[in-house]
Amino acid sequence: MEKSIKDISLDFTVAIPTYNGLERLPKVLDQLLMQTGLEQITWEIIIIDNNSSDKTFELIRTYQASHNTDFQIKYFLEKKQGIPFARHRAVSEASGEFIAFIDDDNVPATDWVTAAYNFGKEHPEAGAWSGQIHGEYEVKPPQDFKKIQSFLAIREYGSPTHLFDPDNLRLPPGAGLVVRKQAWCESVPAKPNLRGKLPGLFVQGDDYEALLYIHKAGWKILYNPAMHINHQIPHWRFERDYLLTLARGCGLCVFQLRLINAKYWEKPIILIKTLLGNLRRVLQHFMKNKNYLSNDITLRFEMQFYLASMMSPFYCLKCWINSFYLKN
């Protein structure tokens, strides 16, 4: 980690990783400039440009030159492609005690920063926390979309505060996530195993990987219902090919994620449970829905996720073999 927790000089950092976000960023930045209740909070906004080919840099220069507030908007270029690298860069550059990750299609409520900051102060045991993420859809979602909406980072859990369940991979997405810088710097390895969405590679799990390390270090991961974000969902995210690719990517990371906090003797058990448990889910899903699978994209999504989860140990083995040959 290029920076340590000793570099904390502000209360709060909003970090926005972006790739070709010229069209999306203004709505997010304008909403952040309208945040309320921050008179006693020192904060900053940092943009992590992950190799954009559009005019993202010029856009940020315009905001830097025109905004007249008592906080800074900073810009950094991260050349290593992939959102895990962008988030690691954000942590290394952030000066806030708390660091909030907002994607360039996340529009926070005007009290989002205040709600996030106050929650962190009230819960010193929390290494990370997240709130409600609501969908704003360009087109109508498919039938029974609520069954799979969490895969598109839509999370609406109601009003009670509660603990997430890392042991069963029930965790919040990276979008709208707030972390305690101390927890991240002391827990999360600088080199991620899961690299996120890249050209030709759509394996997910990068959001969960960091959270599992934070959990392993003894920090709690909490849900704060007072934090609200609207997630902008364009029409193409409901196209068949995108959804099935997403389902596959979410499934292929399952075995690797379950190994992070596993003891050595537990790993063979996790292997067997991953293979047989998901085989059972595949067979049950097919027998129950075989007459509808060809026409129902939500059912197809679930089937693809179960199949990819079943295959995730073999994908993990492939990654280990590739890594071995690259080192040698």
Side-chain angles (χ1 to χ4, degrees):
M1 188 64 60
E2 297 173 15
K3 278 192 166 188
S4 71
I5 57 175
K6 294 179 181 179
D7 298 300
I8 293 172
S9 59
L10 300 175
D11 296 321
F12 202 88
T13 296
V14 175
I16 309 175
T18 186
Y19 174 73
N20 287 346
L22 179 65
E23 300 297 325
R24 300 181 297 275
L25 276 169
K27 191 170 184 178
V28 179
L29 290 170
D30 290 345
Q31 193 75 349
L32 286 170
L33 293 174
M34 296 172 60
Q35 292 292 298
T36 60
L38 299 176
E39 293 78 12
Q40 305 301 318
I41 300 174
T42 58
W43 70 300
E44 65 182 352
I45 298 172
I46 63 176
I47 312 297
I48 307 297
D49 183 351
N50 205 193
N51 277 334
S52 296
S53 58
D54 63 4
K55 295 184 178 180
T56 292
F57 174 69
E58 288 83 350
L59 173 71
I60 303 307
R61 285 283 298 271
T62 300
Y63 271 89
Q64 288 173 326
S66 61
H67 101 286
N68 184 24
T69 60
D70 56 359
F71 64 90
Q72 288 185 294
I73 299 175
K74 301 177 183 177
Y75 171 93
F76 301 97
L77 175 65
E78 175 51 58
K79 293 185 177 181
K80 289 183 180 178
Q81 200 73 41
I83 198 165
F85 295 111
R87 288 183 179 141
H88 275 273
R89 178 65 182 276
V91 172
S92 72
E93 300 292 353
S95 298
E97 177 186 5
F98 307 144
I99 305 167
F101 299 114
I102 292 182
D103 288 354
D104 60 16
D105 56 5
N106 297 163
V107 182
T110 54
D111 64 347
W112 190 85
V113 171
T114 304
Y117 175 77
N118 289 340
F119 189 85
K121 284 299 185 183
E122 292 164 4
H123 296 273
E125 76 280 11
W129 54 100
S130 181
Q132 303 199 52
I133 305 177
H134 313 287
E136 282 194 7
Y137 308 111
E138 186 179 5
V139 297
K140 184 179 178 180
Q143 183 178 354
D144 294 328
F145 173 65
K146 283 192 174 182
K147 294 168 65 176
I148 62 169
Q149 67 177 9
S150 63
F151 290 92
L152 277 79
I154 307 302
R155 306 294 176 96
E156 297 169 317
Y157 298 122
S159 56
T161 297
H162 64 256
L163 276 168
F164 285 99
D165 183 10
D167 294 332
N168 291 300
L169 300 185
R170 297 190 180 102
L171 289 164
L177 180 72
V178 187
V179 300
R180 196 176 300 270
K181 185 168 185 177
Q182 177 187 355
W184 183 289
C185 291
E186 294 178 349
S187 310
V188 181
K191 185 178 180 181
N193 289 316
L194 295 162
R195 308 298 176 86
K197 298 178 282 291
L198 294 168
L201 180 67
F202 208 75
V203 177
Q204 304 288 295
D206 47 282
D207 292 354
Y208 287 7
E209 183 180 5
L211 286 172
L212 287 169
Y213 284 117
I214 290 171
H215 168 66
K216 187 177 183 179
W219 295 92
K220 296 185 183 302
I221 301 168
L222 296 174
Y223 165 70
N224 174 16
M227 295 161 53
H228 293 267
I229 276 179
N230 288 334
H231 186 189
Q232 315 295 297
I233 307 291
H235 68 90
W236 53 267
R237 289 196 176 180
F238 292 136
E239 292 176 0
R240 175 184 175 279
D241 288 347
Y242 175 85
L243 285 173
L244 295 182
T245 302
L246 175 64
R248 182 172 182 270
C250 290
L252 286 177
C253 67
V254 165
F255 183 66
Q256 284 174 279
L257 290 174
R258 292 196 179 279
L259 292 183
I260 289 176
N261 290 339
K263 297 179 177 63
Y264 184 79
W265 62 268
E266 293 176 314
K267 294 181 180 181
I269 299 173
I270 293 172
L271 172 63
I272 294 169
K273 289 178 70 174
T274 302
L275 289 171
L276 297 184
N278 283 290
L279 175 60
R280 176 180 56 82
R281 294 164 86 185
V282 166
L283 294 175
Q284 288 180 340
H285 192 67
F286 177 77
M287 293 305 297
K288 181 180 179 181
N289 302 296
K290 58 184 177 181
N291 294 328
Y292 309 101
L293 279 171
S294 59
N295 297 318
D296 190 315
I297 187 59
T298 301
L299 294 176
R300 289 283 299 278
F301 184 103
E302 291 176 309
M303 176 62 87
Q304 187 71 5
F305 174 69
Y306 299 151
L307 285 168
S309 298
M310 184 176 67
M311 298 301 296
S312 63
F314 302 104
Y315 176 78
C316 184
L317 177 62
K318 176 184 175 183
C319 291
W320 289 342
I321 292 171
N322 289 342
S323 177
F324 174 80
Y325 280 110
L326 286 173
K327 289 179 180 178
N328 296 279

